[in-house]
Amino acid sequence: MEMTLRWYGSQHDTVTLEQIRQIPGVKGVITTLYDTMPGEVWSRQQIRAMKAEVEAAGLHVAGIESVNVHESIKAGAADRDIYIDHYRQTLENLGEEDIHLVCYNFMPVFDWTRTELARRRPDGSTVLAYTQKAVDELIPENMFTSIAGDLNGSIMPGWEPERMEQVKELFAMYKGINEEKLFENLTYFLERIMPVCDRYDINMAIHPDDPAWSVFGLPRIITGKEKIQRMLKVVENPHNGVTFCSGSYGTNLKNDLPDMIRSLKGRIHFAHVRNLKFHSAEDFEEAAHLSSDGSFDMYEIVKALYEIGFSGPIRPDHGRMIWGEKAMPGYGLYDRALGAAYINGLWEAIEKNAKAQKAGEER
Ligand code: DNO
């Protein structure tokens, strides 16, 4: 694996590349062109400028998160082929610039959903949290305004104000689209982009739906083991892969995370590692990465990644807001740096142990 950190670009991130470079073991960033809209073609010039900035700071671009998929593609609208062509062109331009990993999602309307962006934990840190009750009581158009006060002046990925202004129209687009139809639209999209991915060796890594169930009655299809296996089989190409995000699949307590990782051997191109603390199956908050701070056994998760020979980029995911930091919720420096150090520590121990065991067996 390669330890990385997500970075939103100097115009949007409070964390600098110089800071990222000082996190032990981090040599690469996962980034994006944050000012582009879904459906836009990313030019080679823009990509080159982004790479140059990262490389000037002594780091490299390990992958893109995200190249967002236009709603017309997800909804299978009449004009989807135009946007698929744009997506293919963006992939080609990324490939020409030697970028080989793209994380994306196929969630209608909303990207990830949280109902609180600054829930206070007993140690005084604040974290993102979710309760089903709050979602059930909210009308979707008000989702953005209900969390806007806790944004610390940042724009959350997937929650860009322009998108939120169109929520009503977006919902209308998905009338009559059930899970099966959404799955067909995903298949249609994947079949058309795979030739470009093959030509440029680009690994597509679909991000799970978060939470891993339907919200506001919208269909959600990347939620658990069977569904993800179906998607990998329907387009049986190694470039059609996944982002294994423990904090997203983990929202559904029925998902056995280490078992899922093992079942996805060879198709996990990117990993997001984070821990959640559950108060009930429908009320959870994000915890520190350390196992004992949340509900997951992080050792078992990292061990499963090690055992399947995972070699792609990995990143600590949402961190708590600690030590007075003001940053995009989930994306401050301090707690993610702690997360990176912890995951690196787990990996080192697991690797040394496995090697010692193997040497012992050979003797
Ligand atoms: C949330 C992120 C998601 C993810 C997208 C991928 O913090 O994990 O926004 O980047 O779903 O397209």
Side-chain angles (χ1 to χ4, degrees):
M1 64 93 171
E2 182 201 358
M3 183 55 68
T4 63
L5 211 78
R6 188 178 193 182
W7 184 64
Y8 288 99
S10 41
Q11 300 303 311
H12 297 282
D13 213 314
T14 53
V15 181
T16 65
L17 291 171
E18 289 65 32
Q19 290 169 325
I20 294 175
R21 196 180 167 202
Q22 291 173 352
I23 305 171
V26 175
K27 303 266 181 302
V29 292
I30 297 291
T31 189
T32 186
L33 291 178
Y34 207 30
D35 292 316
T36 54
M37 293 297 287
E40 233 177 88
V41 176
W42 295 17
S43 71
R44 283 191 64 178
Q45 213 179 353
Q46 286 170 300
I47 299 167
R48 221 175 291 151
M50 169 182 83
K51 270 187 72 173
E53 188 180 6
V54 170
E55 284 165 12
L59 291 158
H60 80 111
V61 174
I64 302 296
E65 178 178 354
S66 314
V67 180
N68 283 315
V69 178
H70 194 275
E71 298 291 339
S72 286
I73 301 177
K74 292 187 258 177
D79 58 354
R80 69 173 155 181
D81 288 338
I82 301 172
Y83 294 110
I84 293 179
D85 278 350
H86 290 185
Y87 206 99
R88 286 166 53 100
Q89 187 61 55
T90 294
L91 290 178
E92 196 171 312
N93 292 350
L94 287 168
E96 290 284 349
E97 295 303 331
D98 211 18
I99 292 178
H100 302 282
L101 169 71
V102 171
C103 170
Y104 70 105
N105 73 77
F106 219 75
M107 286 175 254
V109 188
F110 297 107
D111 190 325
W112 56 274
T113 305
R114 288 291 170 275
T115 52
E116 291 153 74
L117 298 183
R119 181 185 287 184
R120 195 161 290 277
R121 301 200 73 216
D123 62 6
S125 60
T126 60
V127 293
L128 300 148
Y130 182 95
T131 67
Q132 190 58 39
K133 189 167 172 283
V135 164
D136 293 343
E137 286 168 359
L138 207 63
I139 46 169
E141 291 92 310
N142 295 343
M143 186 76 205
F144 183 69
T145 18
S146 79
I147 55 173
D150 292 328
L151 285 170
N152 289 337
S154 59
I155 301 170
M156 297 287 282
W159 290 88
E160 298 79 3
E162 311 85 56
R163 269 162 71 86
M164 292 308 117
E165 279 165 22
Q166 301 165 357
V167 163
K168 260 199 176 136
E169 290 106 273
L170 289 175
F171 264 82
M173 264 182 111
Y174 287 94
K175 272 231 159 74
I177 299 198
N178 57 15
E179 283 190 10
E180 206 46 40
K181 188 75 197 132
L182 188 65
F183 184 81
E184 267 172 38
N185 296 343
L186 173 59
T187 309
Y188 183 95
F189 167 67
L190 285 170
E191 280 168 347
R192 276 151 192 83
I193 62 166
M194 279 299 121
V196 186
C197 296
D198 290 341
R199 194 161 347 116
Y200 290 97
D201 189 23
I202 295 177
N203 284 329
M204 293 301 295
I206 197 165
H207 190 277
D209 303 342
D210 188 352
W213 56 79
S214 161
V215 283
F216 301 123
L218 292 163
R220 291 258 172 124
I221 50 175
I222 307 298
T223 52
K225 188 172 167 182
E226 277 78 41
K227 288 185 179 170
I228 189 82
Q229 288 295 354
R230 181 180 176 209
M231 173 235 160
L232 295 177
K233 277 206 188 81
V234 80
V235 179
E236 189 67 78
N237 179 325
H239 292 121
N240 171 28
V242 311
T243 297
F244 190 85
C245 176
S246 63
S248 300
Y249 283 123
T251 55
N252 186 338
L253 289 170
K254 290 189 195 116
N255 283 334
D256 174 342
L257 301 175
D259 172 64
M260 281 184 80
I261 292 171
R262 291 196 174 88
S263 76
L264 292 167
K265 186 175 179 178
R267 301 294 276 275
I268 301 181
H269 297 318
F270 184 24
H272 291 176
V273 177
R274 101 169 93 110
N275 196 358
L276 299 176
K277 171 82 184 164
F278 281 83
H279 298 291
S280 77
E282 296 191 338
D283 178 357
F284 60 83
E285 65 205 27
E286 295 176 357
H289 288 75
L290 188 73
S291 302
S292 60
D293 198 51
S295 303
F296 300 157
D297 187 333
M298 303 307 282
Y299 167 76
E300 290 297 339
I301 290 170
V302 176
K303 188 158 159 277
L305 284 168
Y306 178 83
E307 284 174 3
I308 62 162
F310 173 69
S311 61
I314 192 169
R315 66 169 184 77
D317 209 356
H318 302 174
R320 303 162 305 149
M321 220 38 81
I322 57 171
W323 304 339
E325 188 175 19
K326 286 239 171 313
M328 183 190 291
Y331 288 100
L333 170 66
Y334 304 142
D335 202 38
R336 287 190 302 151
L338 291 177
Y342 172 61
I343 299 162
N344 272 332
L346 285 175
W347 191 276
E348 181 178 337
I350 291 163
E351 185 168 51
K352 285 191 172 152
N353 197 25
K355 284 185 178 157
Q357 216 172 339
K358 194 157 172 248
E361 278 160 17
E362 276 162 14
R363 239 181 278 124

